Amino acid sequence: MKSAVKSQLTTGKAPLAMYFNDISRGLSESQLRFRVIHFWEAKNIANRTLIGIELLLIDEQGTVMQGFISSSRAPTYLPHLKAGATYTLQNFLAATSKEIYRVADQNLTISFSNGSVLAPLDDIPVSVSFPTDRFRFHTHEDFQAHRGLRGDLYDVVGHLRLVNGQSLIDRPVLDEAEVISTRRILVHLQSKDEPVMKLYLWDQAAKDFYKKFTSSEDTPTVLLVTTVNPKVIAESIRLRLFAVVLLSELSDIHDSVTNVCFNVLTTRTGNLALSSMASSRVFIDKDIQPTIDYFSWLGSNPEIAKRVNADEVTRSETMTIGQIYAYIKQENAKEASFDCIATIDDVKRDSAWYYIGCSGCQTKATRGPSSLMCAKCGKTNVSGVAKYLAKISVYDKNDQAVFVLLGDAGSELTGKNAAELVNNYFEANQDLGAGHQMPVPQALLDTIGQTHKFRVKVSKLNLTGKIQAITVTKIVSSEVLPPVPTPTEIPHDVEDEVALPSAIVIDGSGFKADDADGSTSSMDESRKAKRPKHGK
């Protein structure tokens, strides 16, 4: 293989430079001149082995093309590649671009071939100028139209609403260890006055955002991410369908029809979300001209930041109890928040309904020799305050679960502050010892029979199977349980993707499916729905 850093060709005559727009499919001995905008590793999704190096290139006419260096040639060229530098390339193969996840408009890709010679272009003529970058911005409407198609990857710019669920009113705090372990950061982004979009930053994009965000003197407000993939946040829904099977095809009984009930797992079209890719780059505030322009626009339109309230930004998907447990069982499930409509069946009385927390950080305080201590704050003398930690049994139409009312969620449900209830109880019972635990108050018992929309959080403890109870972080609203849909009421759009359980067609007339899909019939008995005990 010829040297990748050879400064000039030994032909005795400088080759004529070719523009990207003049390239045709096949091998070429012509010379290209370009700037490397960005390059990244392309890996096999299944085994993470290196396929090659992908490049984003721009020529002096401002035309952008994608480049590719195979894994076998990568060691030769990669040490000499630098983003932003200019090069010449002699001898290359112009191949048809891949159809999925393209990052440039051109339908050809420049592939480094066996005889390719890459050389730095140091002495650029005064008459020649290479643009530094080129962006392809999409609007919310564009992303919505192309979600889930795995087509071209476009760029997005907007202003931040939330960073990992934290408002920008107070500067969000990012935990580096959490970013490393989860490999992601979730931001809510709004482009001018369009709807708010969820944007998941993964791996290198998450690290880059963390570094830029935490090192910025002021709280960053503008974010630009390149080559994002518009996806559908799918809602896994377990529907009970009814299949009519003609028994005449299965036995000697003729003209007999029976309803056979089975479960399938279907994915219904959900909300739009953007996801970073290996090719994505991250810019904030005044990094580059597009973010500078947007930052200036945002400063001239301060009312834009006030148009969307926090509840709209953080709206969660509504799922049933069964759907939440099915989500927990998924192999790649992550911590997430959902809304769940359920009826309170009972309040657990065999465990404490409150805890004494640090008045500063709300973490459970521990009793020291003479005072309360907080491990999180590191203080040995903290003021304790009673906070809700009540377990309630809830059910919906098909399943039952235990929810834990944590902190303010208990106050939202009962209308009573836990500290107030505890203080009033001990003031009325001053003869009780310090170690006495207050029984469940009437304010909590009065909620039995009520139906609410609960905002719940699936935690790491749920995902690892250490605890079954699900934490409630907010009472969204009072609700009524929705009716069980009939077959004609089940929503199913033509765009929906359906994943059936492994099935065998029997004479073309029916299914034989195993229980591996986690159907309701195989759920724990403890989660089966019950009737309300109190008739409320």
Side-chain angles (χ1 to χ4, degrees):
M1 182 181 290
K2 294 182 180 181
S3 171
V5 293
K6 191 172 182 179
S7 60
Q8 61 182 12
L9 300 175
T10 58
T11 58
K13 183 178 179 181
L16 183 65
M18 174 183 283
Y19 298 126
F20 285 172
N21 282 329
D22 298 328
I23 296 175
S24 57
R25 190 172 182 273
L27 287 168
S28 175
E29 295 181 353
S30 299
Q31 184 186 89
L32 301 176
R33 299 191 304 193
F34 52 79
R35 184 189 300 278
V36 175
I37 297 176
H38 183 48
F39 60 92
W40 61 97
E41 292 183 340
K43 291 186 176 182
N44 185 301
I45 297 177
N47 55 26
R48 306 303 296 167
T49 57
L50 181 68
I51 298 174
I53 304 298
E54 295 193 85
L55 307 95
L56 191 63
L57 314 172
I58 188 168
D59 69 3
E60 55 201 87
Q61 291 186 327
T63 305
V64 176
M65 286 192 73
Q66 193 163 341
F68 179 75
I69 305 172
S70 66
S71 59
S72 61
R73 299 187 175 98
T76 300
Y77 298 100
L78 189 57
H80 310 289
L81 283 177
K82 181 180 179 181
T86 53
Y87 298 88
T88 62
L89 178 67
Q90 176 109 21
N91 301 329
F92 60 90
L93 171 67
T96 303
S97 297
K98 59 184 180 180
E99 295 183 358
I100 64 172
Y101 301 146
R102 294 196 314 172
V103 297
D105 293 329
Q106 299 292 320
N107 59 7
L108 294 176
T109 294
I110 300 169
S111 293
F112 285 45
S113 60
N114 187 49
S116 294
V117 177
L118 180 73
L121 182 58
D122 298 323
D123 300 323
I124 303 176
V126 178
S127 59
V128 177
S129 175
F130 292 91
T132 57
D133 216 328
R134 180 63 58 85
F135 298 96
R136 306 191 301 167
F137 291 113
H138 258 194
T139 64
H140 178 276
E141 184 178 358
D142 296 328
F143 284 124
Q144 188 80 6
H146 292 89
R147 59 182 182 167
L149 298 182
R150 301 198 303 170
D152 282 23
L153 303 175
Y154 291 91
D155 312 322
V156 64
V157 63
H159 53 284
L160 293 164
R161 290 295 193 183
L162 296 173
V163 177
N164 271 355
Q166 304 172 68
S167 170
L168 269 69
I169 297 176
D170 295 320
R171 182 168 183 142
V173 177
L174 295 177
D175 186 337
E176 184 177 11
E178 181 181 354
V179 173
I180 293 174
S181 64
T182 62
R183 300 173 32 242
R184 74 166 188 176
I185 294 175
L186 170 61
V187 303
H188 287 71
L189 192 71
Q190 183 176 18
S191 186
K192 295 192 174 180
D193 57 354
E194 295 182 344
V196 175
M197 296 179 287
K198 289 182 178 180
L199 171 56
Y200 291 88
L201 301 174
W202 293 97
D203 298 319
Q204 190 60 48
K207 294 177 183 177
D208 292 344
F209 179 84
Y210 172 84
K211 184 177 180 179
K212 288 174 177 285
F213 193 90
T214 55
S215 62
S216 177
E217 184 176 347
D218 299 319
T219 303
T221 55
V222 175
L223 175 65
L224 187 159
V225 182
T226 65
T227 61
V228 295
N229 182 22
K231 304 179 73 174
V232 175
I233 294 296
E235 181 181 3
S236 296
I237 303 174
R238 214 160 282 283
L239 302 176
R240 188 168 292 274
L241 303 181
F242 294 87
V244 177
V245 180
L246 294 176
L247 294 184
S248 59
E249 297 183 18
L250 301 176
S251 66
D252 295 332
I253 303 176
H254 298 284
D255 301 324
S256 297
V257 178
T258 183
N259 287 332
V260 178
C261 176
F262 60 93
N263 289 292
V264 301
L265 179 63
T266 178
T267 301
R268 185 175 65 187
T269 300
N271 292 339
L272 168 70
L274 307 179
S275 180
S276 71
M277 305 289 282
S279 56
S280 295
R281 293 173 291 150
V282 175
F283 304 97
I284 63 171
D285 287 355
K286 299 182 180 181
D287 280 351
I288 53 175
Q289 195 58 49
T291 56
I292 293 173
D293 294 341
Y294 194 99
F295 191 87
S296 176
W297 174 86
L298 189 62
S300 302
N301 297 271
E303 73 282 356
I304 293 294
K306 303 177 182 178
R307 289 187 182 176
V308 181
N309 60 49
D311 285 340
E312 182 177 354
V313 173
T314 58
R315 184 183 299 128
S316 300
E317 298 289 337
T318 300
M319 301 179 73
T320 66
I321 293 173
Q323 292 160 18
I324 293 174
Y325 278 108
Y327 172 82
I328 292 173
K329 289 182 178 180
Q330 292 180 11
E331 182 178 354
N332 297 321
K334 301 179 182 297
E335 289 185 292
S337 292
F338 302 104
D339 285 350
C340 180
I341 299 175
T343 299
I344 300 173
D345 184 55
D346 203 356
V347 179
K348 300 292 185 180
R349 298 167 176 81
D350 56 356
S351 60
W353 65 271
Y354 66 96
Y355 72 98
I356 303 301
C358 170
S359 59
C361 66
Q362 314 304 318
T363 302
K364 185 177 181 180
T366 57
R367 185 172 297 279
S370 59
S371 62
L372 292 176
M373 302 183 298
C374 178
K376 184 174 182 179
C377 294
K379 298 178 180 179
T380 57
N381 187 9
V382 298
S383 298
V385 59
K387 307 290 292 185
Y388 277 97
L389 187 65
K391 293 182 180 180
I392 58 175
S393 174
V394 300
Y395 68 93
D396 58 14
K397 290 293 182 179
N398 295 304
D399 299 285
Q400 185 171 349
V402 174
F403 285 176
V404 179
L405 296 169
L406 186 63
D408 293 338
S411 303
E412 294 169 352
L413 179 65
T414 64
K416 300 287 186 179
N417 186 285
E420 177 187 355
L421 292 172
V422 172
N423 290 338
N424 290 343
Y425 174 79
F426 282 103
E427 286 180 4
N429 300 273
Q430 296 183 10
D431 56 328
L432 297 175
H436 181 80
Q437 190 75 33
M438 176 185 170
V440 175
Q442 190 62 39
L444 266 175
L445 297 176
D446 288 343
T447 66
I448 296 174
Q450 295 179 7
T451 302
H452 295 275
K453 178 182 285 188
F454 298 90
R455 176 77 42 81
V456 299
K457 180 180 180 180
V458 173
S459 68
K460 291 180 181 179
L461 294 176
N462 295 128
L463 298 175
T464 56
K466 292 183 178 180
I467 63 171
Q468 294 291 322
I470 299 173
T471 300
V472 176
T473 59
K474 181 180 177 63
I475 307 299
V476 180
S477 61
S478 297
E479 294 283 346
V480 294
L481 284 177
V484 176
T486 63
T488 58
E489 293 174 335
I490 295 173
H492 184 76
D493 298 331
V494 293
E495 296 179 351
D496 292 352
E497 297 179 1
V498 178
L500 291 172
S502 54
I504 302 171
V505 178
I506 305 176
D507 295 334
S509 60
F511 290 93
K512 179 182 179 181
D514 55 34
D515 288 332
D517 63 329
S519 62
T520 305
S521 62
S522 63
M523 289 181 181
D524 295 337
E525 289 294 325
S526 61
R527 297 213 320 271
K528 290 184 178 179
K530 299 192 299 185
R531 293 181 179 273
K533 296 179 179 178
H534 299 270
K536 293 185 180 181

